[in-house]
Amino acid sequence: MIDATNAFGDRNEEFESLAHEVKSIVGGPVAKSFNANFANQYDAIDDQRVRPSNLYAAEDEAREVTEQLIRDAGYEPVSAGGLENARALEDHLGLMMLINRGGLGPFLYRYAKAGEL
């Protein structure tokens, strides 16, 4: 299961993250991804000089399929580690919204090693 949800308002604090809450429901391997991308930019992905990044955090059993789905969607997967880091990806949305409202508007992003841009 890939959890693409974000917390707008209250969240169930009994769980470490929304992804952990999803895991309690589905019972199988879970990844957190596709929550930190602006959906209105999907049509622009193929027009980019380099693939934009898509951050993810995943349990080992969900890593391979998550990376493949990210690539199939036109992004370059960037691992944020295991599912224990899902909350950081959920909280990253706050920074993205600040950048969006700060004047950049909806955007694509790329995390890369030096020299790969």
Side-chain angles (χ1 to χ4, degrees):
M1 168 65 74
I2 296 179
D3 170 34
T5 63
N6 284 305
F8 293 101
D10 294 333
R11 65 166 72 227
N12 185 344
E13 294 295 343
E14 292 179 28
F15 296 95
E16 185 177 336
S17 69
L18 295 171
H20 285 87
E21 187 171 1
V22 167
K23 182 167 180 62
S24 77
I25 296 166
V26 300
V30 173
K32 180 75 176 189
S33 190
F34 294 102
N35 70 304
N37 298 92
F38 290 96
N40 63 0
Q41 298 300 299
Y42 289 159
D43 289 342
I45 293 171
D46 291 338
D47 299 331
Q48 304 310 303
R49 183 174 48 83
V50 294
R51 283 180 170 235
S53 297
N54 186 335
L55 302 170
Y56 77 95
E59 295 181 298
D60 289 341
E61 302 86 354
R63 186 174 314 280
E64 185 177 333
V65 69
T66 300
E67 288 183 356
Q68 186 60 56
L69 289 170
I70 290 170
R71 285 188 185 94
D72 290 350
Y75 293 101
E76 186 64 30
V78 176
S79 175
L83 198 64
E84 68 275 6
N85 299 323
R87 178 72 180 250
L89 291 184
E90 295 166 6
D91 292 343
H92 179 67
L93 185 67
L95 176 61
M96 291 184 64
M97 291 297 116
L98 291 174
I99 294 168
N100 176 34
R101 289 188 297 259
L104 187 60
F107 57 90
L108 297 167
Y109 57 87
R110 173 73 179 179
Y111 286 86
K113 294 178 183 176
E116 291 183 359
L117 296 176

